[in-house]
Amino acid sequence: MVRVGILGATGYTALELIKILLRHPEARITRLTSRQEGQPHVASAHPQLVGRVDLRLDDAEPGALIEDCDFVFSCLPHGASASAVKPLVDAGVTVVDLSADYRLRDLATYEAWYGEHHADGGRLGQVPYGLPELFADRIRGASLVANPGCYPTSAILAITPLLAMGFAEPDDLIVDSKSGVSGAGRTPKLMTHYPECNESICAYNIGRHRHTPEIDQIVQLAAGHSVQVVFTPHLIPMDRGILTTVYATPRSDASEDRILAGFREFYHGKPFVRVVEHLPGTKDSAHTNFCDLTVRVARGRVIVVSCLDNLIKGASGAAVQNFNILQGFPETMALL
Amino acid sequence: MVRVGILGATGYTALELIKILLRHPEARITRLTSRQEGQPHVASAHPQLVGRVDLRLDDAEPGALIEDCDFVFSCLPHGASASAVKPLVDAGVTVVDLSADYRLRDLATYEAWYGEHHADGGRLGQVPYGLPELFADRIRGASLVANPGCYPTSAILAITPLLAMGFAEPDDLIVDSKSGVSGAGRTPKLMTHYPECNESICAYNIGRHRHTPEIDQIVQLAAGHSVQVVFTPHLIPMDRGILTTVYATPRSDASEDRILAGFREFYHGKPFVRVVEHLPGTKDSAHTNFCDLTVRVARGRVIVVSCLDNLIKGASGAAVQNFNILQGFPETMALL
Amino acid sequence: MVRVGILGATGYTALELIKILLRHPEARITRLTSRQEGQPHVASAHPQLVGRVDLRLDDAEPGALIEDCDFVFSCLPHGASASAVKPLVDAGVTVVDLSADYRLRDLATYEAWYGEHHADGGRLGQVPYGLPELFADRIRGASLVANPGCYPTSAILAITPLLAMGFAEPDDLIVDSKSGVSGAGRTPKLMTHYPECNESICAYNIGRHRHTPEIDQIVQLAAGHSVQVVFTPHLIPMDRGILTTVYATPRSDASEDRILAGFREFYHGKPFVRVVEHLPGTKDSAHTNFCDLTVRVARGRVIVVSCLDNLIKGASGAAVQNFNILQGFPETMALL
Amino acid sequence: MVRVGILGATGYTALELIKILLRHPEARITRLTSRQEGQPHVASAHPQLVGRVDLRLDDAEPGALIEDCDFVFSCLPHGASASAVKPLVDAGVTVVDLSADYRLRDLATYEAWYGEHHADGGRLGQVPYGLPELFADRIRGASLVANPGCYPTSAILAITPLLAMGFAEPDDLIVDSKSGVSGAGRTPKLMTHYPECNESICAYNIGRHRHTPEIDQIVQLAAGHSVQVVFTPHLIPMDRGILTTVYATPRSDASEDRILAGFREFYHGKPFVRVVEHLPGTKDSAHTNFCDLTVRVARGRVIVVSCLDNLIKGASGAAVQNFNILQGFPETMALL
C-alpha cells in the first residue's frame, strides 16, 4: 500500500484526486496539506468527503511529509509548488507535480511566461512531461513528473498524430479551446462569479495564456522544429470539460478516412484515448479519464476535435495514471 | 425631465436601474456614485453600458448630489445607505432606497436582525414601504420610500390576498423560496463562485434570513395581528428569478376557484400582477416588472406560487414604479 | 460472477446503472434490451460508453433473458415494466424493478394514480419496497424488489426518523422538493427543451404527482396511521440532484440538537445516509449514492433538508445497493 | 401606425419580435399566424405575453393578411417561408423574411445546401440582404428583405472590415462560432434536450452548416473574388448569445491598434456595432441589438471576436432595424 500525501488539498484538482485515490486499492492517503488555520477536517473544505476520509488539513513541514509519505501529489499553485516539491524529491519521495512548475524545459521560457523566479530551476529539462500517451517510457522510473496542463493535453493529443504521421503542416496550427469554469480554480473572482460567467461566453488571454509555450514545446517534438501555435481559450458556462478545435493545413493526400485510421493506429493500446467517428461532446468524457478525438476535413482544412474532463484527464486522472505507471500498477487502476 | 442620481452604481440592481432609466422618457441620469478609485467610466464596471451612457463613477459628496439631482436611488448596502440617504432627504431630494435600511418600522427589530446601529433611526416608522400594489397611497407624496426586498415582494404579493380576503389562517404560513444567484450581489464569494453553486441547490439562513421580519411586518397588516412566517430561502443555479411557494391552511369554504377569483379581484387594476391559471415559471417574468401568481388547493392546504425577477420587480423595476408614482407619471412608464 | 440483464437500456437510469455495474467486481452485464430497431451498439445510444462495454441493444424475448441472466434490472417505464418483469420472476430470475409498478401495495391506489390496468397486480403487497435503510430485512431473500422513486427516497429518509422517534406530528407534513431535469427522463418534450427550462424554475403537478401515494404509504408505517403529505415538486435548471425541504410540527421537547442526535442514532450503521450539521447542497452528493440530511428548528417548525442524486441514490445506486443485499455482497460494493 | 403581421408566431424569434414590437410606437400587431389548431391565444404558446397582447394564433389565408397588414415578418422555417411570402409581396405587402429562403442570390446554391425546390426562386438575386450596417441603401425602398442568419451576422461583421480595409488576406478565413441553444429553435429534439446539452459543448455540422454559403456570399463582396470560409459551429449550454472567433492572416503592416482604429472608422455612425478594446462576453450584448467586436494580433494571426444575441441582433432585432429603415423611422426605434 503506497502512502500518499497531497499538497494544496483545498482546490478542485485535489478533491478529484482524493476521490480517485479513495477507490484505488493500492493507495492510502496519509497527509493532506493546506495553509488554512486550525487544521480543519478535510470535509469542512470539501463537504463531498463527509464520511469518506478522516484526515485534517495541516501545514505539514517537509520532514513530516518525508516521514509519512512514499508518494506526493502537489496541487499547489505554480511558484509555491516548486518550493514545496524540491525538498521532497531531494529526499527521495516520488512526486507528481500538477502545477506548471516543471512542465517547461527551458528556464528562460518559464521566467518569461510566469514572470517569476523558479525555486528549483536546475531541474528543468530533466523532468518528464507526464502525458503517458506520448512519454510513458520517460515517466517510468522518474522521481518527479510534471503533470500536463488541461488545455495542453487536449491540444497535444489532437495535434501530435497529425504531425507525427505527416498528415498536416506544422506551421499553421490554430487551437481554439473552450473550457468549463472549474479550470479557473477555486478562488472567488469577479470573472468566475456566477452571475458574471453564467449564460455567457468570452475569450480570454488571447496570445498570452501560459499554456501556450507548453503546447509549443511538445508539438515541436512531433514537428521536428520550433513551432508557434495560435491558442485562444474561451470560458464556457459549465463546471467541467474542455473541447478543443484544432485547425491545420492537410498535406495533399490526407483524406478524412485516412487521418481517422491514422489516429486509431497512433492511439492503439492507449486505454484513455478514444478515436470516434461522431462529433463528441464534453459530457461523453465528463467525470472520466478519457480523451475523445475525431477528425473532419472540410474546405482545405483538417479539423480535429478533442474533448476531455479538465479536472480528470486534464489534471487528477492523468496524475493517477502517472502514479500507476511510476508504481508499476496497471495504467487504468482506479480510473475506469 | 427629472435629474436622477444613483448611489452605489457598480452592482446588479444599479445596472438594471440604469438600463430601465435609459428608456424612461422623463428621466435623465446625472450622477452615478461608487467608492471605486480614479473615477472610471461606468462602462468599465458594466460593459453592457458601452455606448449607452457617458458618465463616470464618482464618490460624490452630498452637496454635489443635492445640486445635480432632483431624485436619488440608493443601491448602497444596508448601513451605508441610511448614512448617505439622510442628508439628501434632509435637503429635500426625493429618494427611493433599495437597501433594507428603511423597510422595518421598528428600530429594535432593525438592530436585532441587522446587528448594527441605524444612522437615521428616527425616520423609521414614517417611511412608506414601497410596494405599490398595497401602498400606492402612502407612497404618493412621500420624500423617501423604502423599496421592498426581493423575497418579501414575492411572499407578500402571494400571502396578502389570502389573508385580506379571509381565505386562509394567518398563523401557519410557510414560505419556501427559490432564488437565482444575482440576489446574492456582485461581490465574489465562495458560495457564489460558479463551480460551487452551478449544478447545485442549497437552502441557506433557515430561520435567520433578514427578509423574515420584513415579511412578518407586512403580512401582519393583513392578518390584523402579529404573525411569524417560516421562511426558507434556497439558492438556485440561474441568474435571476424567484419562485416562492406559500403553504397555508385554508378556511373551510375556500375552493381553488374562489381563491383564484379573489386574487383576480384583489389585483384588478394593478398592472404588474398577473393572476394566471397555469403554474408559472420564473422565465415568464424574467427581465420584466411582472409578478405572476397562481393558486392550488390540495390535501387540505392552499398553495400559492409566485414568480418574479428579483432584479426587476424585486428591486429596480419596483424602484422605477415608485419613481413614477412619486413623480406623477403613469405607473408603467418605461416598465413595459 | 452474476450475469445481469438491463431492460430499457437507453435512458438515464440505465446509463448510470451500466456505469456502476462496470465497476462491480461480481457483476457481468450480459443483456441490454431496447425497442430500438437494428440492434445498435449500446454506445450509439450512450456515447459515454464507447470502449467500455461491447453489447448491442436487442429486443430480447423473456426466454433469452431467462437463459442469459441470473439477475435483471428493469428500467422500463411503468406499465411496460410489470409486463416484462412478470415472466422473469415467474421463471426464477431475481429482479429489481426501477419503475413504479410494484411500489404501491394497493392495486386500487395504483390504478387510481397511474390510470391503467396492472399486468401483474396479484403481486402487489408481496414485493418489498427497496429502501435498504428501512427495509433491508424484507429485501434480503426476495425474488423481486420495487426500487423506490427519487422524490420518495428523499422525502421518506427525511420524515421517517421524525415520526419513528416521536419528534414531530404526522398529520401536518409538507414536502417541498426541487429536482434536476434528468428526473424527467430522456424523451424530448417542450417542458425539458433546453431554452424552456434553463434559467427557470417552476412547480408542476401540485397535488397530482404520482410519487405522492408512494410517500404516504411508507410514511404512514412510521406514523402508525394513514397520512396525507402535501407534496410539491419543482423543476430546477441542473442535470441531477434533488433537495427536499420537509416542514413538520415538532413535539414540545424536540430541540434541534435532540433531533439531530436522533437522526444520527437512527441512521447509525447505514453507510449511505450522512447526517450533517451544515446545510448540504445537492452537489455534495452528486454522482454518489449518499443522502445528506440535516435538521433545523425555527419559529415552531422542524425543517429537514435532504439531498441526493436522483439518478444514483434516487434510482440506479439504490438498485445496486439492493442487488448487493439480494446477492449477499457487501452493501457498499461498487458504490463508493 | 403600421399594421404588422407575424407568420409562424410560436417560435423564439417570433416571441422576441413581438416583445420588441410591443415597445415600438409606430407598429401595431394585427395578425399572428401558426398552424396550431383551435386558434389558441398567443399567450398559451408564450406565457411571457400574458396581459401584453390580446391576439389569437390563426392559420391566416394570404387574403386576410393582405387585408389586415401593411407589413409582414415571416418567422416560418425555410421552404415554408417562401411559399407564404410570395403572394404577400406580389400583393404589395412589404415583408422581412427571417428564414433563409431569400438570403442566397443563387438558386443552384440554395438547392444544393437546402436540398429542396424553392417556391419563389425567380426572386433570388433581387432581394437585398438585410444587414443594415452594410446594405442600408439597398434595403431602403425594397419590398422584400432577407434577414440575415445569426451566425452569418456575427461572422460578416467581424470579417468585412478586415477585407474591405485591406487588413487581411481573404483566402484563409476560419470562423469558429459558439452559440447558445435557442439558435436551434423551439422544437424538442434529443440534441437540445436539457440533460443532453447542459454541461456539455459539442461541435456540429462541420463543413456542412447551411450558414456557410451565406457567409461566403457576403464575404466575397469585400474580398472581390470567390472565397470559401471554414465555418465550425459549436453548441454551448446557455440560452442565447453567439461568440464568433475569426482567424485570418494579416497583411504586413496591420498592427492591432491600426486594425482596431480601422474597425472604429468602418462602423462609425452604425448605432448597433460597438468596437471595444476589452474582450467582450456574450452577456454584454444579451437582450440587446448590439454586436460587440474587438481585435487581437498574436503570433502572425489577426483574431477578431464578435458577440451578439442570436435572437435579437441575429434575428428579430435586426428585423425591426430593417423595418425601421424600410418605413423611414429612426433606425434605433424600439431597439435601445
Side-chain angles (χ1 to χ4, degrees):
Chain A
M1 190 73 88
V2 185
R3 299 172 307 150
V4 170
I6 298 174
L7 312 184
T10 57
Y12 294 133
T13 53
L15 173 59
E16 294 304 315
L17 188 54
I18 293 168
K19 292 196 294 183
I20 296 170
L21 290 174
L22 287 174
R23 289 209 298 256
H24 200 294
E26 301 287 349
R28 184 163 58 87
I29 305 173
T30 52
R31 282 275 185 180
L32 298 172
T33 82
S34 134
R35 286 162 304 184
Q36 296 203 352
E37 285 185 21
Q39 305 206 343
H41 193 280
V42 63
S44 72
H46 298 299
Q48 293 182 36
L49 297 179
V50 168
R52 301 298 314 286
V53 57
D54 194 18
L55 281 170
R56 300 198 156 269
L57 298 168
D58 64 273
D59 194 355
E61 290 304 301
L65 290 161
I66 292 164
E67 174 117 2
D68 291 350
C69 304
D70 307 307
F71 198 105
V72 163
F73 295 92
S74 173
C75 298
L76 291 168
H78 67 86
S81 196
S83 300
V85 163
K86 184 178 188 306
L88 301 177
V89 178
D90 288 346
V93 178
T94 311
V95 175
V96 169
D97 179 22
L98 285 83
S99 88
D101 277 349
Y102 295 98
R103 293 179 195 157
L104 299 177
R105 302 181 73 76
D106 179 58
L107 184 57
T109 306
Y110 179 89
E111 288 174 350
W113 284 83
Y114 288 86
E116 54 188 270
H117 175 72
H118 196 296
D120 191 20
R123 270 205 175 83
L124 296 198
Q126 308 164 31
V127 182
Y129 188 73
L131 193 59
E133 286 74 17
L134 301 183
F135 305 110
D137 288 346
R138 294 186 214 171
I139 295 163
R140 210 166 284 124
S143 55
L144 170 61
V145 170
N147 212 57
C150 49
Y151 285 125
T153 298
S154 75
I156 292 165
L157 292 176
I159 294 170
T160 299
L162 279 185
L163 304 191
M165 304 186 86
F167 292 129
E169 304 295 338
D171 298 316
D172 195 25
L173 294 162
I174 289 170
V175 177
D176 189 290
S177 288
K178 300 91 178 165
S179 174
V181 183
S182 61
R186 204 181 182 193
T187 305
K189 290 175 197 137
L190 189 60
M191 188 189 185
T192 48
H193 186 50
Y194 187 93
E196 299 289 314
C197 63
N198 187 44
E199 292 292 298
S200 198
I201 325 169
C202 64
Y204 67 102
N205 286 355
I206 298 181
R208 302 188 293 111
H209 195 285
R210 287 161 167 172
H211 284 173
T212 308
E214 189 180 331
I215 302 172
D216 285 352
Q217 171 183 278
I218 307 300
V219 164
Q220 64 201 16
L221 295 179
H225 62 270
S226 171
V227 298
Q228 284 207 322
V229 303
V230 175
F231 172 52
T232 309
H234 299 78
L235 194 66
I236 303 293
M238 59 185 202
D239 275 357
R240 50 167 76 198
I242 288 177
L243 183 146
T244 289
T245 315
V246 170
Y247 299 89
T249 305
R251 292 201 169 142
S252 56
D253 55 350
S255 70
E256 194 169 295
D257 286 348
R258 285 197 55 194
I259 303 178
L260 262 174
F263 269 63
R264 281 201 200 89
E265 183 189 332
F266 189 88
Y267 288 117
H268 182 75
K270 308 298 179 193
F272 294 117
V273 175
R274 301 190 293 197
V275 180
V276 297
E277 291 187 21
H278 62 270
L279 288 166
T282 56
K283 199 168 226 172
D284 303 343
S285 50
H287 297 274
T288 82
N289 199 47
F290 290 107
C291 176
D292 290 341
L293 291 171
T294 198
V295 176
R296 293 290 182 276
V297 172
R299 299 190 145 204
R301 285 277 168 168
V302 54
I303 300 150
V304 188
V305 175
S306 76
C307 289
L308 54 75
D309 183 318
N310 57 302
L311 294 177
I312 308 291
K313 183 57 182 163
S316 304
V320 173
Q321 200 179 344
N322 283 316
F323 169 81
N324 286 337
I325 292 170
L326 287 161
Q327 296 289 331
F329 304 136
E331 193 172 340
T332 59
M333 188 173 269
L335 290 171
L336 288 180
Chain B
M1 190 73 86
V2 185
R3 298 172 307 151
V4 170
I6 298 175
L7 312 184
T10 57
Y12 294 132
T13 54
L15 173 59
E16 294 303 315
L17 188 53
I18 293 168
K19 293 195 294 183
I20 297 170
L21 291 172
L22 287 174
R23 289 208 299 255
H24 200 293
E26 301 287 351
R28 185 164 58 86
I29 304 172
T30 53
R31 282 276 185 178
L32 297 172
T33 82
S34 133
R35 287 160 304 183
Q36 297 204 348
E37 284 184 22
Q39 304 207 347
H41 193 281
V42 62
S44 72
H46 298 299
Q48 292 182 37
L49 297 179
V50 169
R52 302 297 315 283
V53 57
D54 194 17
L55 281 170
R56 298 197 158 270
L57 298 168
D58 66 272
D59 193 357
E61 292 302 301
L65 289 162
I66 292 163
E67 174 115 1
D68 291 350
C69 304
D70 307 309
F71 198 105
V72 164
F73 294 93
S74 174
C75 298
L76 292 169
H78 68 85
S81 198
S83 300
V85 162
K86 184 177 189 306
L88 301 177
V89 177
D90 288 346
V93 178
T94 312
V95 176
V96 168
D97 180 22
L98 285 84
S99 88
D101 277 349
Y102 295 98
R103 293 178 194 157
L104 299 177
R105 302 183 71 77
D106 179 57
L107 184 57
T109 305
Y110 179 87
E111 290 175 347
W113 284 82
Y114 287 86
E116 53 188 272
H117 175 71
H118 196 296
D120 192 20
R123 270 205 175 84
L124 295 200
Q126 308 164 31
V127 182
Y129 188 74
L131 192 59
E133 287 73 16
L134 301 183
F135 306 111
D137 288 347
R138 294 186 213 171
I139 295 164
R140 208 167 285 122
S143 56
L144 171 60
V145 169
N147 213 57
C150 50
Y151 285 126
T153 298
S154 75
I156 292 165
L157 291 175
I159 294 170
T160 299
L162 279 186
L163 303 191
M165 305 186 86
F167 291 128
E169 304 295 337
D171 299 317
D172 194 24
L173 294 163
I174 289 169
V175 176
D176 188 289
S177 288
K178 298 91 178 167
S179 173
V181 182
S182 62
R186 203 181 182 194
T187 304
K189 291 173 200 142
L190 189 61
M191 189 189 185
T192 49
H193 186 49
Y194 187 93
E196 299 288 315
C197 62
N198 186 44
E199 293 292 299
S200 198
I201 326 167
C202 64
Y204 65 103
N205 286 355
I206 298 182
R208 302 188 293 111
H209 195 285
R210 286 160 167 172
H211 284 174
T212 307
E214 190 181 330
I215 301 172
D216 285 351
Q217 172 183 277
I218 307 301
V219 163
Q220 66 200 15
L221 295 177
H225 62 271
S226 171
V227 296
Q228 285 207 321
V229 303
V230 174
F231 171 53
T232 309
H234 300 78
L235 193 67
I236 303 293
M238 61 183 201
D239 275 358
R240 49 168 76 199
I242 289 177
L243 183 145
T244 290
T245 314
V246 170
Y247 299 89
T249 305
R251 291 196 170 146
S252 55
D253 55 350
S255 70
E256 194 168 294
D257 285 348
R258 286 198 55 195
I259 303 177
L260 261 174
F263 269 63
R264 281 201 200 89
E265 183 188 331
F266 190 86
Y267 287 117
H268 182 75
K270 308 299 179 192
F272 293 116
V273 176
R274 302 191 292 197
V275 180
V276 297
E277 291 187 21
H278 61 272
L279 287 167
T282 56
K283 200 166 223 172
D284 303 343
S285 51
H287 298 273
T288 81
N289 199 46
F290 290 107
C291 177
D292 290 339
L293 292 171
T294 198
V295 176
R296 294 292 182 276
V297 172
R299 298 190 145 203
R301 287 276 167 168
V302 53
I303 300 152
V304 187
V305 174
S306 76
C307 288
L308 54 75
D309 184 319
N310 57 302
L311 294 177
I312 309 292
K313 183 57 181 164
S316 303
V320 174
Q321 200 180 344
N322 283 316
F323 169 81
N324 286 337
I325 292 170
L326 287 161
Q327 295 289 330
F329 302 136
E331 192 171 342
T332 60
M333 187 172 272
L335 291 171
L336 287 179
Chain C
M1 190 73 86
V2 185
R3 297 172 308 151
V4 170
I6 298 175
L7 311 184
T10 57
Y12 294 132
T13 53
L15 173 59
E16 295 303 314
L17 188 53
I18 293 168
K19 292 195 295 183
I20 296 170
L21 290 173
L22 287 173
R23 288 208 299 256
H24 200 294
E26 301 286 351
R28 184 163 59 88
I29 304 174
T30 53
R31 283 276 185 178
L32 297 172
T33 82
S34 136
R35 285 162 305 184
Q36 296 202 351
E37 286 186 20
Q39 303 208 345
H41 193 281
V42 62
S44 72
H46 298 299
Q48 292 182 37
L49 297 180
V50 169
R52 303 296 316 283
V53 56
D54 194 18
L55 281 170
R56 300 198 155 268
L57 299 168
D58 65 272
D59 193 355
E61 291 303 301
L65 290 161
I66 292 163
E67 174 116 1
D68 291 351
C69 304
D70 307 309
F71 199 105
V72 164
F73 294 93
S74 174
C75 297
L76 292 169
H78 67 85
S81 197
S83 299
V85 162
K86 183 178 189 306
L88 301 178
V89 177
D90 288 346
V93 178
T94 311
V95 176
V96 168
D97 180 22
L98 285 84
S99 87
D101 277 348
Y102 295 97
R103 293 178 194 156
L104 298 177
R105 303 182 70 76
D106 179 59
L107 184 57
T109 305
Y110 179 88
E111 288 174 349
W113 283 82
Y114 287 85
E116 53 188 272
H117 175 72
H118 197 295
D120 191 21
R123 271 205 176 81
L124 296 199
Q126 309 163 29
V127 182
Y129 188 74
L131 193 59
E133 286 74 16
L134 301 184
F135 305 111
D137 288 347
R138 292 187 214 171
I139 294 164
R140 208 167 284 123
S143 56
L144 170 62
V145 169
N147 212 57
C150 50
Y151 285 125
T153 298
S154 75
I156 292 165
L157 291 176
I159 294 170
T160 299
L162 278 186
L163 304 192
M165 304 185 86
F167 291 128
E169 305 295 337
D171 299 316
D172 195 24
L173 294 163
I174 289 169
V175 176
D176 189 289
S177 287
K178 300 89 177 167
S179 173
V181 182
S182 61
R186 204 180 181 195
T187 304
K189 292 175 197 139
L190 189 61
M191 189 189 186
T192 49
H193 185 50
Y194 187 94
E196 299 287 316
C197 63
N198 187 44
E199 292 292 298
S200 197
I201 325 168
C202 64
Y204 65 102
N205 286 355
I206 298 182
R208 301 189 293 110
H209 195 285
R210 286 161 167 173
H211 284 173
T212 308
E214 190 180 329
I215 302 172
D216 286 351
Q217 170 183 279
I218 307 300
V219 164
Q220 65 201 14
L221 295 178
H225 63 270
S226 172
V227 298
Q228 284 207 319
V229 303
V230 174
F231 171 53
T232 308
H234 299 78
L235 193 67
I236 303 294
M238 60 183 201
D239 276 357
R240 49 169 75 198
I242 289 177
L243 184 147
T244 290
T245 316
V246 170
Y247 299 90
T249 305
R251 291 198 170 145
S252 55
D253 55 351
S255 71
E256 195 169 293
D257 285 348
R258 285 198 55 195
I259 303 178
L260 262 174
F263 270 63
R264 281 202 200 90
E265 182 188 334
F266 190 86
Y267 288 116
H268 182 75
K270 309 297 179 191
F272 294 115
V273 175
R274 302 190 292 198
V275 180
V276 297
E277 290 187 22
H278 62 271
L279 288 166
T282 57
K283 200 167 225 170
D284 303 343
S285 50
H287 298 276
T288 81
N289 198 48
F290 290 108
C291 176
D292 289 341
L293 291 170
T294 199
V295 176
R296 293 293 182 276
V297 172
R299 298 190 144 204
R301 287 275 168 168
V302 54
I303 300 152
V304 187
V305 174
S306 75
C307 288
L308 53 77
D309 183 318
N310 56 302
L311 294 177
I312 309 291
K313 183 58 183 162
S316 303
V320 174
Q321 201 180 344
N322 283 314
F323 169 81
N324 286 338
I325 292 171
L326 287 161
Q327 297 288 330
F329 303 136
E331 192 171 341
T332 59
M333 188 172 270
L335 291 170
L336 288 179
Chain D
M1 190 72 88
V2 185
R3 298 171 309 151
V4 170
I6 298 174
L7 311 184
T10 56
Y12 294 133
T13 55
L15 173 60
E16 294 304 314
L17 188 53
I18 293 168
K19 293 196 292 184
I20 296 170
L21 291 172
L22 287 174
R23 290 208 299 256
H24 199 294
E26 300 288 349
R28 184 164 58 86
I29 303 172
T30 54
R31 283 276 184 179
L32 297 173
T33 82
S34 134
R35 286 162 302 184
Q36 295 203 350
E37 285 186 22
Q39 304 206 344
H41 193 281
V42 63
S44 73
H46 297 300
Q48 292 182 36
L49 297 179
V50 169
R52 301 298 315 282
V53 56
D54 194 16
L55 281 170
R56 299 198 156 269
L57 299 169
D58 65 272
D59 193 355
E61 291 303 301
L65 289 161
I66 292 164
E67 174 115 2
D68 291 351
C69 305
D70 306 309
F71 198 106
V72 164
F73 295 93
S74 174
C75 297
L76 292 168
H78 68 85
S81 197
S83 300
V85 162
K86 184 178 189 306
L88 301 177
V89 178
D90 288 346
V93 178
T94 312
V95 176
V96 169
D97 180 21
L98 285 83
S99 88
D101 277 350
Y102 296 98
R103 293 178 195 157
L104 298 178
R105 302 181 72 76
D106 180 57
L107 184 58
T109 306
Y110 179 88
E111 289 174 348
W113 284 83
Y114 288 86
E116 54 186 272
H117 175 72
H118 195 296
D120 191 20
R123 270 206 176 81
L124 296 199
Q126 308 164 32
V127 182
Y129 188 73
L131 193 59
E133 286 74 17
L134 302 184
F135 305 111
D137 289 347
R138 293 186 214 171
I139 294 164
R140 207 167 285 122
S143 55
L144 171 60
V145 170
N147 212 60
C150 49
Y151 285 124
T153 298
S154 76
I156 292 164
L157 292 175
I159 294 170
T160 299
L162 279 187
L163 303 190
M165 304 186 87
F167 291 129
E169 304 296 338
D171 300 316
D172 197 25
L173 294 163
I174 289 170
V175 177
D176 189 290
S177 289
K178 298 90 178 166
S179 174
V181 183
S182 61
R186 205 183 182 194
T187 304
K189 291 174 198 138
L190 188 61
M191 190 188 184
T192 49
H193 185 50
Y194 187 92
E196 299 288 316
C197 62
N198 187 45
E199 293 292 297
S200 198
I201 326 168
C202 64
Y204 66 103
N205 287 354
I206 297 181
R208 301 188 294 111
H209 195 284
R210 286 160 167 172
H211 284 174
T212 308
E214 190 180 330
I215 301 171
D216 285 351
Q217 170 182 276
I218 306 302
V219 163
Q220 66 200 13
L221 295 178
H225 63 270
S226 171
V227 297
Q228 285 207 319
V229 303
V230 174
F231 171 53
T232 309
H234 299 78
L235 193 67
I236 303 294
M238 60 184 201
D239 275 358
R240 48 169 76 197
I242 288 177
L243 183 146
T244 290
T245 315
V246 170
Y247 299 89
T249 305
R251 291 198 171 144
S252 55
D253 56 349
S255 71
E256 194 168 294
D257 286 348
R258 287 198 52 195
I259 303 178
L260 262 174
F263 269 62
R264 281 202 199 88
E265 183 189 332
F266 189 87
Y267 288 117
H268 181 75
K270 309 299 178 192
F272 294 116
V273 176
R274 302 190 292 198
V275 180
V276 297
E277 291 186 21
H278 61 270
L279 288 167
T282 57
K283 199 167 225 170
D284 303 343
S285 51
H287 298 275
T288 82
N289 198 47
F290 289 107
C291 176
D292 290 341
L293 291 170
T294 199
V295 176
R296 293 293 181 276
V297 172
R299 300 191 143 203
R301 287 274 168 169
V302 54
I303 300 152
V304 188
V305 175
S306 75
C307 288
L308 53 77
D309 184 318
N310 57 301
L311 294 177
I312 308 292
K313 183 57 181 164
S316 304
V320 173
Q321 201 180 342
N322 283 315
F323 169 81
N324 286 337
I325 292 171
L326 287 161
Q327 297 287 332
F329 303 135
E331 192 172 341
T332 59
M333 187 172 270
L335 290 171
L336 287 179

